[in-house]
């Protein structure tokens, strides 16, 4: 075949392959994306932004998250296009349609991009590779990052125009290149910024070298670089014009974004991201952010390295590729942090660099694959080995790669990224009725579905899923991504959540929708009450005495900027479409078509062999390992493995799997195990905890038996708890099993237990009207009274303590706060945390403690006065605070006092978390400190539990301060403390304060 | 030229002439107040292409129109009544609009007495005085006179210190007011021994407030039981003026018990086997 015929054949094949790629893309991603998007990290966030534009196109202030933020903090194009499509289709379908359309544009982009490297046939292979490239598949189906894909699709489409412009200086190419870059800028600013460095600069270099073929033949360290600079100088007008136009567009098109960045810079504690981990230490991060997207690149790295360093036209791409590969390795080496600087390193998610490396690698991989499938590499292989080995190697490598891609599609099933789907309609109905939208809400355990909920309601949440825009100090001061997944963010997450749950009045946070009972203890002991379980199983927690949402002054943006934000970015895509149409109709046929003259098809043996074997080894190895991990791992091989596996199953409540680690035999059945578990295992640790760490010590090991001590640490919403357990194991037929221990199960004396509850029911609005409550339906604020309030100074700082009583005949909920006023007239408001009972039965009393921290007592800004403000409200149903409490002093030293507590349960449901509120008084009966202590095991009906509690004794330096006046207010009116003749004269007093999880009696 | 000038002047004259309209003639000038659903307004009109609209500061009504010869009969209907007050009837034919002013009133209907009490719930520990405000409204929300020229009455009432739910003057459930019992005055504590001689049965009660009302159900009572170094705190709720507690005889023989409700504490009771 002559050269001309070969070119024609290559062109023909290339176009056909592109069509095949587009069809494949439509058939695979088009079908799957609707089902994978709920499990992605970001799809719902983008849908939320789209919903914003669908509702308020020209208003960038979004009030529904974080008490409000500006949507100009993210380029709007993708969201606005989604908003437009959502006017016709439902939002999820609109997202799917858009995602598929962008993926198709990306396939075309990859095809056109590859054409500047190699032949059209190679570009066709590249297009097919784009359909199944793991980084692209992961970006769409795992991350849901459509703006990144949009930016990349249009950037790749712009590069050939830029290449042509530099080569030919034809202004029409410049127009087209700029039109596409305008879309990139409007859709994803990070792609635009880094694209200039990693994609546009190498394209310029390649075009310069290609425009003067002699240049490529010069020595790299000789005349090449000086001549290249000289050549660039001769084309300076075009390059400068392009550069200036691009910068001008980048500034003007999304000017409000830059204005926001400048006037309201991000100043928050860096939020950890797996892409910044050391991948050797955090292998799961390495897998998701480096291995999965780049596995094919690693497999073909010999071929890529060979091709990318062969000719000087690839020099820029080589620098970009290796730089991206290095930066994408996150914290594995210190180099990325050194190169990017501390700030950028901590703000950027570094997986995007790996993503760009994979895009740069596409033409090179395609070149080698084409050669190995139907080119010289194949001829070499067949000649050296055999046709059969080539067929088998290609077939098995290809098959295992496809299985690897299927694995990515189902990654969310193997490694759940999100909680199970939550049906949001019952929540929306709840928010719509009875003016519930007048308060903020918070979701717990929803994952990214919280953004989907927000997209479907006008109600506001205090949380949000776009942390760059938030400015609430309780969030920005800690490394917390979202409140709703606080438990995964360890101490910082729980501390931040705790802040919001206790300072709920500050943010008018009244409702919590909980999809994870892990948070129940924290919610309960922070004064939240369960109000209703919705049809979808979500428990609604409510806090009384919360004000309705106060208007927040939006951050103002000039009306002209608002209009520009609503019009300019979206115009770019229409302009690009129009220009593309004109280009295809009037210009394309007359243009000099891009035709790369590089027909590199010779690979040395040193490249062919590793490039052929590595994919086979890596992908078959990966799949084999996954199968092994799923099916073949021997969990019984030694005592430690058995215990780790057993605890893992316990942690995820997989009791049937956990049971298989017990010694098999008729005397201990699954039924018996579950029965024993149900009667001996309940409470904070077994029901509301996640395993944090586990340490196993061997006490004794013989050939067929072992005794192991297991020390485990569990995270609970009330803090970490330790658990010690000794397990006996036995080896049977080369497998180790745990010998079930005989539980000491208490048996209640009674066969039937009765308990007379007094339940209350707040009738609420009796007049059936959607108008505000009529006067006759208003319920009076219940009576309460302070017995005492003291300002205490201790080693830990200042705190306000005291005692108060529900003086009314109905159960009440309480909201207490201390407003501190300083000499300079500034104020600070502080709330009690867990050392307080937020609900009281009629005539019941409680102690309280509000920590004030270290406040100045001297100087011009000293603490002037404290206003202790109590709000009361009738609670919905009533309240039981615990079982019968018996205590005995067993140790009283100068540092601590120890009690033996015995708590019996007379109720018809278990006491899930037994707890006691302990108050220490001075000789005058004034409360010095209040402490809450909980027992990790539940108490079943009719039984009792004994446990010890230690109370640190106040140091001699602890004293009551009287120089700062404390003003008492109840329901807005000034009150005085009333005497309490029944006050105990004991130094330490105890009150039961327990959580009953069963909803028979909603606390 | 002269002819042209005359023609021009004539055409100008015609073009400036205002179209003559004939205002409907209201045939009942003595009617100043129209009763909705009852009164019929009669106008003498030309043609049968009239439409009508009644506007008040609070609502818009669409009257039904009918014709008898050259008479236009206007019936203003509103099944649920109207907010009374000044109204304007607008009659329109083609581009001619005519307005007629009058008062509209509902037909005589039953008015409802509203009895508002503040506070709605009186606690006998506190003041027994209530402020009462009375007024009447018709079903459409119009204030009605309680007596000629009197629309509101205000009374200071002293309620009896007897607990319960009491109907207001209008007897509506939503307007009822409540007298709640106060704090217990004293706690009487006693015990018996069960028939099998295994338990002490402690009884606190009857528990009355200072006005001899039984204290509220659900009131928390705390029993503090001491024996040696051991202290037991049992919280129970009062029901029908009593609260009971069973204690094991073997465990608690010779223990001291006190019961407390709010700041009121009982005498100490020593329990022992007979």
């Amino acid at each position: 075949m002559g050269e001309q015929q070969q070119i024609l054949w290559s062109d023909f094949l290339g176009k056909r392959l592109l069509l095949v790629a587009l069809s494949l893309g439509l058939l695979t991603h088009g079908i799957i994306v609707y089902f994978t998007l709920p499990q992605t990290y970001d799809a719902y966030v983008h849908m939320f932004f789209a919903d914003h534009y669908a509702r308020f196109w020209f208003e960038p202030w979004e009030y529904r998250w974080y008490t409000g933020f500006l949507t100009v903090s993210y380029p709007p194009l993708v969201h606005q296009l989604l908003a437009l499509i959502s006017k016709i289709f439902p939002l999820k379908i609109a997202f799917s349609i858009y995602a598929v359309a962008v993926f198709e544009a990306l396939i075309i982009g990859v095809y056109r991009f590859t054409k500047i490297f190699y032949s059209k046939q190679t570009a066709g292979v590249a297009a097919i590779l784009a359909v199944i490239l793991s980084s692209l598949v992961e970006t769409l189906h795992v991350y849901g990052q459509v703006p990144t894909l949009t930016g990349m699709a249009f950037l790749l489409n712009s590069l050939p125009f830029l290449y042509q412009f530099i080569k030919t200086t034809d202004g029409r190419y410049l127009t087209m290149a700029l039109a596409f870059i305008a879309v990139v800028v409007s859709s994803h600013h990070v792609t635009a910024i880094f694209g200039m460095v990693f994609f546009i600069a190498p394209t310029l270099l390649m075009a310069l070298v290609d425009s003067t073929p002699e240049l490529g033949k010069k020595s790299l360290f000789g005349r090449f670089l000086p001549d290249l600079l000289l050549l660039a100088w001769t084309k300076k007008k075009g390059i400068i014009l392009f550069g200036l136009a691009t910068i001008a567009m980048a500034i003007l098109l999304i000017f409000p974004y830059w204005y926001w960045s400048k006037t309201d810079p991000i100043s928050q504690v860096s939020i950890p991201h797996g892409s910044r981990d050391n991948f050797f230490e955090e292998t799961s991060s390495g897998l998701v952010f480096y291995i999965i997207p780049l596995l094919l690149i690693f497999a073909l790295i010999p071929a890529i390295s060979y091709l990318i360093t062969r000719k000087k036209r690839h020099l820029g791409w080589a620098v970009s590729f290796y730089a991206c590969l290095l930066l994408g390795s996150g914290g594995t080496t210190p180099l990325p942090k050194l190169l990017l600087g501390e700030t950028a390193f901590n703000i950027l998610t570094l997986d995007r660099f790996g993503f760009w490396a994979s895009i740069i690698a596409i033409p090179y991989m395609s070149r080698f694959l084409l050669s190995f499938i139907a080119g010289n590499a194949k001829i070499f292989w067949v000649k050296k080995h055999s046709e059969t080995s080539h067929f088998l190697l290609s077939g098995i490598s290809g098959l295992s790669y496809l299985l690897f891609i299927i694995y990515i599609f189902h990654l969310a099933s193997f490694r759940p990224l999100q909680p199970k789907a939550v049906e949001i309609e019952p929540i929306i109905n709840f928010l719509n009725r009875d003016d519930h939208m007048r308060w903020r809400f918070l979701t717990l355990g929803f994952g990214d579905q919280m953004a989907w909920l927000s997209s479907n309601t006008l109600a506001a949440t205090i949380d949000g899923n776009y942390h760059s825009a938030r400015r609430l100090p309780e969030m920005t001061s800690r490394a917390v991504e979202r409140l709703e997944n606080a438990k995964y963010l360890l101490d910082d997450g729980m501390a931040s959540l705790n802040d919001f749950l206790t300072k709920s009045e500050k943010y008018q946070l009244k409702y919590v929708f909980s999809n994870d009972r892990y948070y129940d203890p924290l919610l309960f002991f922070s004064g939240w009450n369960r109000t209703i379980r919705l049809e979808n199983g979500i428990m609604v927690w409510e806090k009384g005495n919360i004000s309705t949402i106060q208007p927040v002054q939006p951050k103002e943006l000039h009306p002209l900027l608002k209009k520009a934000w609503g019009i300019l970015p979206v115009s770019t895509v229409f302009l690009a479409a129009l220009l593309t149409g004109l280009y295809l109709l009037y210009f394309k046929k007359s243009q000099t078509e891009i035709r790369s003259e590089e027909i590199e098809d010779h690979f040395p043996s040193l490249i062919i062999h590793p490039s052929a074997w590595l994919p086979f080894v890596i992908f078959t190895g990966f799949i084999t390992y996954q199968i092994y991990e799923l099916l073949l791992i021997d969990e019984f091989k030694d005592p430690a493995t058995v215990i780790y596996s057993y605890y893992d199953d316990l942690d995820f409540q997989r009791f049937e799997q956990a049971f298989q680690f017990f010694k098999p035999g008729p005397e201990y059945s699954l039924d018996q195990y579950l029965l024993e578990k149900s009667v001996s295992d309940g409470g904070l640790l077994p029901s509301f905890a996640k395993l944090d760490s586990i340490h196993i010590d061997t006490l004794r090991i013989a050939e067929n038996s072992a005794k192991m001590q297991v020390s485990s640490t569990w995270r609970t919403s009330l803090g970490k708890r330790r658990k010690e357990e000794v397990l006996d194991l036995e080896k049977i037929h080369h497998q180790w099993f745990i010998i079930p221990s005989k539980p000491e199960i208490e048996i209640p004396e009674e066969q039937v237990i009765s308990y007379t509850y007094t339940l209350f029911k707040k009738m609420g609005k009796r007049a059936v009207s959607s108008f505000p409550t009529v006067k006759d339906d208003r319920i009076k604020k219940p009576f309460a009274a302070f017995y005492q309030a003291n300002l205490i100074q201790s080693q830990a700082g200042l705190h306000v303590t005291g005692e108060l009583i529900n003086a009314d005949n109905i159960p009440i909920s309480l909201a207490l706060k201390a407003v501190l006023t300083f000499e300079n007239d500034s104020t600070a408001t502080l709330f009690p945390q867990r050392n307080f009972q937020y609900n009281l039965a009629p005539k019941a009393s409680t102690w309280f403690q509000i920590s004030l921290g270290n406040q100045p007592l001297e100087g011009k800004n000293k603490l002037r006065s404290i206003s202790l403000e109590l709000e009361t409200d009738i609670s919905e149903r009533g309240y039981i605070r615990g079982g019968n409490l018996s205590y005995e002093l067993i140790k009283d030293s100068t540092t601590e006092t120890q009690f033996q507590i015995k708590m019996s349960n007379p109720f018809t449901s278990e006491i899930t978390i037994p707890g006691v509120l302990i108050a220490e008084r001075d000789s005058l009966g004034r409360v010095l400190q209040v402490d809450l202590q909980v027992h990790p095991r539940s108490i079943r009906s009719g039984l009792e539990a004994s446990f010890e509690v230690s109370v640190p004794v106040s140091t001699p330096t602890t004293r009551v301060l009287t120089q700062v006046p404390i003003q008492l207010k109840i329901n807005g009116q000034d009150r005085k403390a009333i005497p309490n003749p029944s006050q105990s004269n004991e130094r330490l007093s105890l009150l039961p304060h327990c959580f009953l999880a069963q909803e028979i009696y909603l606390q | 030229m002269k002819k042209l000038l005359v023609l021009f002047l004539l055409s100008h004259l015609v073009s400036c002439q205002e179209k003559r309209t004939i205002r409907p003639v209201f045939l009942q000038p003595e009617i100043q107040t129209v009763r909705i659903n009852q009164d019929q307004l009669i106008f003498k009109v030309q043609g049968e292409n009239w439409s009508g609209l009644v506007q008040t500061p609070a609502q818009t009504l669409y009257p039904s129109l009918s014709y008898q010869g050259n008479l236009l009969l206007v019936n203003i209907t509103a099944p649920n009544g109207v907010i009374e007050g000044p109204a304007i009837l607008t009659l329109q034919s083609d581009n001619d609009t005519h307005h007629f002013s009058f008062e509209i009133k509902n037909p005589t209907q039953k008015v409802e007495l509203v009895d508002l009490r503040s506070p709605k719930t009186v606690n006998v520990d506190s003041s027994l005085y209530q402020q009462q405000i009375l007024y009447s409204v018709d079903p459409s929300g119009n204030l009605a006179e309680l007596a000629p020229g009197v629309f509101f009455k205000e009374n200071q009432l002293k309620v009896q210190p007897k607990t319960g739910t009491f109907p207001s003057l209008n007897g509506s459930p939503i307007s009822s007011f409540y007298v709640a019992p106060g704090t217990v005055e004293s706690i009487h504590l006693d015990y018996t021994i069960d028939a099998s001689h295994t338990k002490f049965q402690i009884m606190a009660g009857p528990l009355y407030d200072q006005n001899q009302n039984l204290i509220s159900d659900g009131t928390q009572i705390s029993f503090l039981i001491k024996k040696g170094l051991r202290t037991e705190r049992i919280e129970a709720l009062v029901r029908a003026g009593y609260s009971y507690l069973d204690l094991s005889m073997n465990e608690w023989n010779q223990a001291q018990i006190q019961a407390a409700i709010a700041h009121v504490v009982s005498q100490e009771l020593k329990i022992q086997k007979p």
Side-chain angles (χ1 to χ4, degrees), chain B residues 26 62 66 77 83 91 105 113 122 137 144 151 163 167 169 181 188 196 202 231 237 241 243 248 268:
Chain B
F26 187 33
Y62 298 92
S66 57
T77 53
I83 303 291
L91 290 176
K105 278 185 88 68
L113 182 67
V122 175
V137 287
F151 286 91
T163 59
L169 289 182
H188 174 72
S196 60
I202 318 294
T231 307
L237 299 180
S243 185
S248 158
E268 198 169 82

Side-chain angles (χ1 to χ4, degrees), chain A residues 629-888:
Chain A
E629 206 178 36
L630 272 177
L631 305 173
L632 304 173
I633 201 159
D634 184 5
E635 295 176 312
F636 299 87
K637 63 181 179 186
D638 55 54
T641 308
V642 168
I643 292 169
Y644 281 126
S645 307
Y646 170 66
Y647 265 72
D648 187 49
D649 286 333
L650 279 189
D651 188 28
F652 288 95
Q653 314 254 324
R654 298 185 296 248
F655 299 128
E656 194 172 342
Q657 281 97 318
F659 171 74
Q660 66 178 341
F661 295 104
F662 287 108
K663 183 184 170 184
E667 69 282 2
Y668 196 67
S669 63
L670 174 63
D671 193 33
Q672 179 69 18
Y673 166 66
L674 293 175
L675 208 57
E676 285 180 7
K677 189 163 178 49
S678 69
V679 296
S680 64
D681 219 4
L684 183 62
L685 269 191
S687 306
F688 303 96
K690 282 299 289 176
L691 187 59
D692 185 59
S693 63
I694 184 167
H695 177 75
I696 302 170
D697 284 320
T698 307
L699 300 178
R700 174 179 56 76
I701 188 153
E703 192 180 342
N704 291 324
S705 68
K707 188 186 262 301
M708 315 294 277
Q709 168 126 19
V710 186
S711 310
S712 52
T713 309
W714 298 75
R715 279 183 282 123
T716 78
S717 57
L718 300 179
K720 283 187 180 173
R721 294 283 189 278
R722 284 183 62 79
K723 184 182 165 190
E724 299 286 336
E725 195 174 8
V726 174
L727 294 176
D728 287 305
L729 293 100
E730 189 179 330
K731 193 176 183 184
I732 304 166
H733 302 308
H734 307 293
Q735 290 192 319
W736 287 89
F737 292 96
I738 301 168
I739 299 170
S741 56
K742 280 273 175 235
E744 291 174 15
I745 293 170
E746 284 180 281
I747 298 170
E749 211 172 8
E750 294 83 1
Q751 284 193 316
V752 176
I753 283 182
S754 67
Y755 186 86
T756 308
Y757 295 97
T758 301
L759 293 169
F760 292 80
K761 163 75 180 160
K762 186 165 87 177
M763 298 301 286
K765 281 164 80 169
R766 291 172 298 167
V768 182
S769 163
S770 59
F771 282 99
T773 312
V774 297
K775 187 183 181 308
D776 266 328
D777 256 349
R778 296 217 177 129
I779 305 177
K780 63 150 189 148
K781 284 279 191 183
F783 299 125
F786 283 100
Y787 279 142
Q788 57 170 289
N790 319 297
L791 177 61
I792 309 291
Q793 186 171 40
S794 70
Q795 279 184 328
L798 294 175
H799 47 262
V800 176
T801 63
E803 186 176 5
L804 54 85
I805 181 175
N806 170 12
D808 218 309
N809 301 303
I810 41 178
I812 64 172
S813 62
L814 303 165
L816 183 64
K817 63 182 176 187
V819 182
L820 314 185
T821 307
F822 299 91
E823 280 299 337
N824 60 359
D825 289 333
S826 64
T827 59
T829 305
L830 295 140
F831 299 85
Q833 297 198 354
R834 295 172 215 161
N835 303 331
F836 179 48
Q837 289 189 340
Y838 290 85
N839 295 279
L840 291 176
K843 303 292 190 286
S845 59
T846 179
W847 307 298
F848 60 85
Q849 175 173 319
I850 304 176
S851 295
L852 309 183
N854 290 312
Q855 305 293 351
L857 294 168
E858 299 295 335
K860 60 180 181 180
N861 291 335
K862 70 175 182 180
L863 181 60
R864 186 167 70 202
S865 65
I866 298 171
S867 174
L868 200 57
E869 299 176 7
L870 178 72
E871 292 285 331
T872 66
D873 199 0
I874 299 175
S875 61
E876 285 280 339
R877 291 172 182 83
Y879 183 64
I880 285 179
R881 63 182 174 189
N884 301 338
L885 176 67
S886 164
Y887 53 94
E888 197 174 326

Side-chain angles (χ1 to χ4, degrees), chain A residues 750 755-758 760 766-767 774-778 780 783 787 805 807-809 841-845 847 879-889 902 904 978-986 990-992 1001, chain B residues 114-121 123 125-126 173-176 178 180-184 199 215-222 224 226 229-239 245 251-252 260-265:
Chain A
E750 294 83 1
Y755 186 86
T756 308
Y757 295 97
T758 301
F760 292 80
R766 291 172 298 167
V774 297
K775 187 183 181 308
D776 266 328
D777 256 349
R778 296 217 177 129
K780 63 150 189 148
F783 299 125
Y787 279 142
I805 181 175
D808 218 309
N809 301 303
K843 303 292 190 286
S845 59
W847 307 298
Y879 183 64
I880 285 179
R881 63 182 174 189
N884 301 338
L885 176 67
S886 164
Y887 53 94
E888 197 174 326
L889 189 68
K902 195 182 278 184
S904 59
I978 59 167
N980 181 12
S982 69
Q983 180 179 288
S984 165
N985 52 10
E986 291 176 324
L990 287 84
L991 282 177
Y1001 195 97
Chain B
V114 177
D115 179 356
L116 294 179
R117 305 289 180 106
S118 182
K120 201 169 165 67
T121 303
N123 189 302
D125 276 351
S126 179
I174 205 166
S175 296
S176 293
Y178 319 100
T183 308
V184 69
K199 283 180 183 169
I215 65 167
S216 295
D217 282 356
T219 300
Q220 182 174 287
I221 180 168
S222 301
L224 212 64
K226 289 187 179 175
L229 286 174
R230 187 174 164 199
T231 307
E232 176 133 352
R233 184 191 178 94
I234 297 176
E235 295 185 340
L237 299 180
V238 173
R239 184 162 176 79
L245 176 68
E251 201 176 348
W252 293 106
I261 297 174
H263 57 273
V264 181
V265 187

Side-chain angles (χ1 to χ4, degrees), chain B residues 184-204:
Chain B
V184 69
E185 192 176 31
S186 64
I187 302 171
H188 174 72
L189 205 57
D190 204 352
Y191 76 98
T192 55
I193 292 167
D194 73 335
S196 60
H197 283 253
T198 55
K199 283 180 183 169
F200 294 114
Q201 293 179 318
I202 318 294
M203 180 184 75

Side-chain angles (χ1 to χ4, degrees), chain A residues 579-595:
Chain A
L579 289 174
T580 306
L582 293 174
Y583 167 78
L584 291 173
L585 286 172
Y586 301 110
F587 184 42
K588 190 172 187 296
K589 284 174 191 164
S590 63
Q591 71 160 342
T592 319
E593 200 173 0
I594 295 180
R595 178 159 289 118

